[in-house]
């Protein structure tokens, strides 16, 4: 068996631990399908939790489940003992434990070298635990104090320990997400809400959507395997790279960033197929005739939306979609003071939270600060674009193209920090293109204070954003 694993790992160019993880990760698809056939509500919760534990053990070893148990028990104890502030307490304890694991294992170095450990799954699990506690905390608040997302997800009753474990570990969905809500998990398991069976009504079939996701995953993996030998991260420290001209270095940064994204597209396509085939990915019916099932709950990335984004503002809506949604509901919106509009502080705090969630590497911190600047700069260009009257269509199209080119350049420049992680390599890579991806956003933001569109146009642009 070891020899077979070694041969398979060598054939696709990965380590044995990574191959073991990939096999278990792909196995989440049939495991999730079997959840559909598991009888009874109690049986479904047991199967969800048990299959998650087994997949974690096979992927990362026995210690992984011990690591997962810590934030899960801390979160549940907070809900039982300190409901009035269990959300804040779980947020602090959950992130504290995750940061401790990041520091102890320094997983980023292992991931960069093709290794694997359980901290990636712990990242997803931490978000689940925190959202469950916050929603239980929201169950104490008056309806008029809640936003729409809070009303939709609040928990009035404490979930049982078995329900909670099933939610956290469901069929290995904690490996790479997507993040989903406890209320959705309970309604799906109990066949309530949009999952309720209606007599004579259509029954959503997941098979077509799941097959599309699997085919997309295969294509993305093929693209990654083909491109990665041509654009290795080691090239940034290679003397040959420094001998290239500015435009060649900049184009290499674009290609290395684009290459890395195919790996994430593959991972999220597999997890999407897994959640769809279980039925949990169902998000309602379209308004067409006849109605068609939608599977947006499982969608974590829109590939064309990322690669062809017209504005950096669109990126959180098409990249790591469910985590972006989590950050918006549990960080960004909760930092907005009543009666006031959000500003750069909320954006920066959200991006910083995302950076810490990924790990304490300087490259992560720099990338997410860069992201905040990138989005703020893109908003300025968008406001200029919206202020152009219809009679000047050519000027408007030029600004649209400018925002697209700005987004492509700054995104792939910024992504270098996310990939190389170390401060020295990040600064060296940024410096090799004269910090153009940092200067452009700052320049756009400053110009936004000087070149201001008319008030009516600006107000309209904000509404559309």
């Amino acid at each position: 068996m070891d020899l077979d694993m070694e041969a398979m790992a060598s054939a696709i160019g990965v380590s044995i631990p990574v191959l073991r993880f990939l096999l278990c990760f792909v196995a989440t698809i049939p495991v999730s399908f079997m959840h559909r056939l598991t009888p009874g509500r109690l049986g479904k919760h047991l199967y969800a939790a048990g299959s998650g534990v087994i997949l974690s053990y096979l992927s990362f070893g026995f210690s992984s489940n011990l690591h997962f148990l810590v934030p899960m028990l801390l979160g549940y104890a907070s809900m039982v003992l300190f409901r009035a502030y269990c959300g804040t307490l779980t947020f602090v304890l959950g992130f504290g434990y995750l940061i401790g694991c990041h520091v102890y294992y320094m997983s980023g170095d292992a991931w960069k070298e093709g290794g694997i450990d359980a901290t990636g799954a712990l990242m997803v699990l931490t978000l689940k635990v925190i959202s469950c506690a916050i929603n239980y905390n929201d169950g104490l608040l008056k309806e008029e104090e809640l936003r729409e997302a809070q009303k939709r997800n609040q928990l009035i009753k404490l979930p049982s320990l078995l329900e909670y474990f099933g939610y956290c570990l469901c069929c290995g969905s904690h490996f790479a997400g997507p993040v989903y809500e406890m209320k959705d998990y309970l309604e799906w398991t109990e066949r309530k809400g949009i999952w309720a069976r209606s007599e004579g009504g259509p029954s959503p079939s997941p098979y077509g959507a799941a097959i599309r996701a699997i085919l997309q995953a295969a294509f993305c993996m093929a693209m990654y395997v083909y491109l990665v030998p041509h654009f290795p991260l080691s090239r940034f420290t290679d003397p040959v790279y420094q001998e290239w001209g500015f435009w060649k270095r900049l184009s290499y940064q674009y290609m290395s960033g684009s290459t890395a994204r195919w790996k994430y597209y593959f991972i999220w396509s597999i997890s999407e197929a897994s959640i769809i085939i279980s039925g949990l990915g169902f998000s309602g019916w379209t308004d067409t005739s006849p109605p068609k099932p939608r599977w947006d709950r499982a969608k974590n990335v829109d590939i064309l939306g990322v690669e062809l984004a017209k504005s950096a503002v669109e990126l959180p809506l098409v990249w790591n979609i469910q985590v972006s949604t989590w950050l918006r509901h549990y960080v960004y919106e909760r930092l907005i003071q009543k009666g006031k509009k959000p500003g750069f502080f909320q954006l920066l705090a959200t991006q910083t939270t995302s950076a810490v969630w990924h790990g304490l590497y300087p490259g992560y911190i720099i990338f997410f600060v860069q992201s905040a600047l990138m989005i703020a700069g893109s908003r300025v260009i968008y406001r200029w674009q919206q202020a152009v009257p219809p009679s000047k269509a050519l000027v408007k199209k030029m600004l649209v193209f400018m925002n697209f080119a700005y987004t492509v350049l700054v995104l792939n420049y910024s992504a270098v920090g996310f990939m190389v992680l170390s401060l020295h390599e990040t600064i060296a890579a940024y410096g090799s293109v004269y910090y153009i991806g940092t200067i452009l956003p700052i320049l756009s933001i400053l110009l936004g204070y000087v070149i201001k569109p008319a008030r009516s146009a600006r107000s309209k642009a904000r509404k559309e954003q």
Side-chain angles (χ1 to χ4, degrees), residues 255-275:
M255 287 306 302
S256 61
S258 179
T259 298
R261 285 196 292 276
W262 288 107
K263 174 176 61 177
Y264 293 98
Y265 295 155
F266 163 75
I267 291 290
W268 288 331
S269 297
I270 290 292
S271 62
E272 182 177 344
S274 174
I275 297 297

Side-chain angles (χ1 to χ4, degrees), residues 307-417:
E307 299 299 329
L308 302 177
K310 294 179 180 178
S311 166
V313 179
E314 298 176 4
L315 291 174
L317 304 176
V318 293
W319 172 265
N320 207 354
I321 296 170
Q322 304 306 327
V323 171
S324 296
T325 301
W326 189 96
L327 289 167
R328 183 171 73 250
H329 291 331
Y330 297 103
V331 182
Y332 185 82
E333 291 179 351
R334 291 171 188 263
L335 291 175
I336 302 172
Q337 295 181 6
K338 196 171 183 179
K340 293 187 178 181
K341 294 181 179 180
F344 184 70
F345 167 73
Q346 284 78 14
L347 178 61
L348 182 61
T350 303
Q351 294 299 89
T352 302
T353 302
S354 183
V356 172
W357 177 68
H358 281 85
L360 296 184
Y361 285 89
Y364 287 145
I365 305 296
I366 293 171
F367 170 77
F368 285 103
V369 171
Q370 273 281 140
S371 299
L373 291 172
M374 175 179 66
I375 292 172
S378 187
R379 282 175 175 167
V380 172
I381 302 173
Y382 181 81
R383 288 198 295 269
W384 294 341
Q385 171 192 324
Q386 293 302 112
V388 175
S391 59
K392 297 182 178 180
L394 181 60
V395 176
K396 196 180 189 77
K397 288 180 180 179
M398 289 174 63
L399 285 169
V400 170
F401 178 76
M402 181 191 297
N403 209 348
F404 166 74
Y406 164 94
T407 300
V408 169
L409 188 153
V410 180
L411 171 63
N412 290 288
Y413 163 93
S414 303
V416 174

Side-chain angles (χ1 to χ4, degrees), residues 227 230-232 235-236 240-241 244-261 307 408-413 415-416 419 429-430 432-434 436-437:
L227 289 171
H230 300 288
F231 303 99
R235 187 66 52 79
F236 289 112
V240 174
Y241 173 81
W244 291 344
F246 168 79
W247 291 109
K248 189 171 182 179
R249 290 198 293 262
L250 192 63
S251 63
Y252 189 85
Q253 290 191 5
Y254 167 80
M255 287 306 302
S256 61
S258 179
T259 298
R261 285 196 292 276
E307 299 299 329
V408 169
L409 188 153
V410 180
L411 171 63
N412 290 288
Y413 163 93
V416 174
M419 296 183 295
Y430 287 179
S432 71
V433 290
Y434 309 111
I436 188 172

Side-chain angles (χ1 to χ4, degrees), residues 75-118:
Y76 199 79
S78 297
M79 290 191 289
V80 171
L81 301 174
F82 309 105
R83 182 175 185 180
Y85 45 95
C86 63
T88 302
L89 189 60
T90 303
F91 197 107
V92 172
L93 293 175
F95 261 88
Y97 187 75
L98 176 62
I99 291 168
C101 289
H102 274 315
V103 172
Y104 181 79
Y105 287 103
M106 296 300 286
S107 306
D109 288 333
W111 298 344
K112 192 168 67 170
E113 298 299 326
I116 195 77
D117 61 37

